[in-house]
Amino acid sequence: MNKILFSEVVLLRKYAVHASLAARYPNYTINQINHDQRRNFTQDFWQSVSSSKLVNVLQEATIQLHDTSGLPWWSTIIISTVLLRGCITLPLALYQNRILAKVERVTKELPDLVNELKMETAIATKKFNWTEQQAKAMYNNSLNKLWKDLLVRDNCHPMKSAIVLVFQIPLWICQSVAIRNMLYMQPDPTSIQAQIVCAEMSLGGIAWFPNLVEVDHSFILPVALGLINLAVLEIQTMSRKIQVNSKLQKYGQYFFRGISILMVPVAAFVPSGVALYWVSSSTFGLLQNLFILSPKVRRLARIPKVDSEHEHPYKHIICKIRERIGK
C-alpha cells in the first residue's frame, strides 16, 4: 500500500511540474519537457563518467608522464597509449589467443568422441527399450556434459576469450574522457593545474594539428582512423587459414566495417587530442594483431599450435593482398 501511495505521489509531482512549465511557457510542450529530461540525463551520465575515479587516475597519470618526461603533449598522448595497451591489452590478447587455440584443439577431439557416444546411445536404446525421444534427450545431455568436461579439463571456456573486450572498451572510453577532460579543463575548470594543462595542450600539437584543443580541419586524423580500423578488420579476415563464409560472419564483417567508417565523421568533430589518441590506439591494435600472428611469439606466449595457424602468416597476408589488388 505504501508503495502504491509513493508512486502516486511521484506521478502527481511529475505532472505538477509539467503543468507549471506549461502555464509559464505555453509553447513548452510535453515532448520538449521529455527531451530536456533525456538531455539532462545524458549530461549527468557523462559528468559522472568524467568525475569517476578511473578517469581521474588516468588523467593524473598522463599529466605526471608529461611533467616527468618533459615531452610535448602530442608525444605524451602516443606514449601513454602504448604503455596502457602494452601493459594491459597486449597480455590479455595473448591470453585470449591461448584460450581460442585450446578451444580449437578441444573441438578437434570432439568428432571421435561423438561417434563413440552415438554407438553407446544406440546400444543403450536397445538394452533399455528407450523411445526415439528418450534416446535423443539422453544423447544431448551426454554430449553437453562431454563438452563441458573437455572445457574444464583444458580450462578453456569460450567466454574467457571475451576478457579483452571487457577491459579494452572501458579503458578506451575512460582514457578518451580523461584526455577530453584535460582539453576542456574538466572536472574542475577553476583549478590552476587544469588551466595550465589546457593552455599547454593548445600549443602541444605538431604538423597540421598544432592545437590539440581544436578539431583536425584537414581531416587527416579522422580518415587515418577509419583506414587503420578497416585494415585491422581485413587483416583479421585474411589471416584465417580456414575461411568461414556463414551469413552471420558476413553480417558481422559488414557491421564492423560500417562502425569503422562511422568513426570518421565522429573523429572529425572531436578535439585533435582525442582523435590522436584514437589513431594511436588503433595503430597499436593493428601492430598487436600482426605481432601475435608470429609463430615464435605464439610459442613464447604458450599458445598451442593449431591447424588454423599459418607457418608463414605474413607471406600469406601479402599473397591475399595481391589477390585482392589483382581482382
Side-chain angles (χ1 to χ4, degrees), residues 235 238 316-326:
I235 285 177
M238 290 186 290
H316 174 78
I317 291 174
I318 292 172
C319 289
K320 286 289 185 180
I321 293 173
R322 287 176 177 172
E323 288 178 7
R324 293 195 179 187
I325 294 174

Side-chain angles (χ1 to χ4, degrees), residues 166-184:
V166 171
F167 282 87
Q168 183 172 323
I169 293 178
L171 181 65
W172 183 84
I173 293 173
C174 289
Q175 181 65 359
S176 299
V177 175
I179 294 174
R180 183 182 179 276
N181 280 356
M182 292 185 285
L183 293 167
Y184 290 154

Side-chain angles (χ1 to χ4, degrees), residues 40-225:
N40 291 335
F41 172 78
T42 303
Q43 291 175 348
D44 292 341
F45 172 76
W46 284 112
Q47 184 64 31
S48 63
V49 174
S50 175
S51 305
S52 64
K53 187 173 182 179
L54 180 56
V55 170
N56 290 334
V57 168
L58 293 172
Q59 185 173 340
E60 288 299 323
T62 307
I63 293 172
Q64 287 296 324
L65 176 63
H66 171 265
D67 294 342
T68 303
S69 64
L71 294 171
W73 270 107
W74 67 268
S75 57
T76 301
I77 292 174
I78 294 174
I79 292 174
S80 64
T81 304
V82 172
L83 290 174
L84 278 175
R85 295 210 54 169
C87 295
I88 298 176
T89 59
L90 177 57
L92 292 177
L94 292 170
Y95 177 76
Q96 178 192 51
N97 277 265
R98 191 183 310 146
I99 295 296
L100 293 175
K102 287 183 178 181
V103 171
E104 184 176 340
R105 294 180 73 173
V106 167
T107 305
K108 191 177 178 181
E109 295 180 37
L110 206 56
D112 293 336
L113 297 174
V114 166
N115 290 333
E116 292 181 11
L117 184 60
K118 286 181 179 178
M119 292 176 62
E120 292 175 0
T121 304
I123 294 171
T125 301
K126 292 180 180 179
K127 184 177 179 180
F128 300 107
N129 295 322
W130 288 344
T131 64
E132 183 179 350
Q133 187 175 3
Q134 288 175 327
K136 187 176 181 180
M138 292 299 296
Y139 170 78
N140 290 333
N141 290 335
S142 299
L143 183 60
N144 290 332
K145 185 178 183 303
L146 177 63
W147 174 248
K148 290 178 181 178
D149 289 342
L150 290 173
L151 295 178
V152 171
R153 183 197 69 186
D154 290 356
N155 191 22
C156 61
H157 196 285
M159 286 300 294
K160 291 184 177 182
S161 63
I163 192 170
V164 175
L165 294 178
V166 171
F167 282 87
Q168 183 172 323
I169 293 178
L171 181 65
W172 183 84
I173 293 173
C174 289
Q175 181 65 359
S176 299
V177 175
I179 294 174
R180 183 182 179 276
N181 280 356
M182 292 185 285
L183 293 167
Y184 290 154
M185 296 182 291
Q186 296 296 328
D188 182 13
T190 62
S191 170
I192 299 299
Q193 184 190 42
Q195 295 173 8
I196 293 173
V197 169
C198 179
E200 290 177 346
M201 296 187 84
S202 65
L203 303 172
I206 191 176
W208 67 90
F209 55 100
N211 188 346
L212 295 175
V213 181
E214 294 183 354
V215 299
D216 181 8
H217 299 288
S218 67
F219 297 102
I220 294 176
L221 288 175
V223 172
L225 176 66

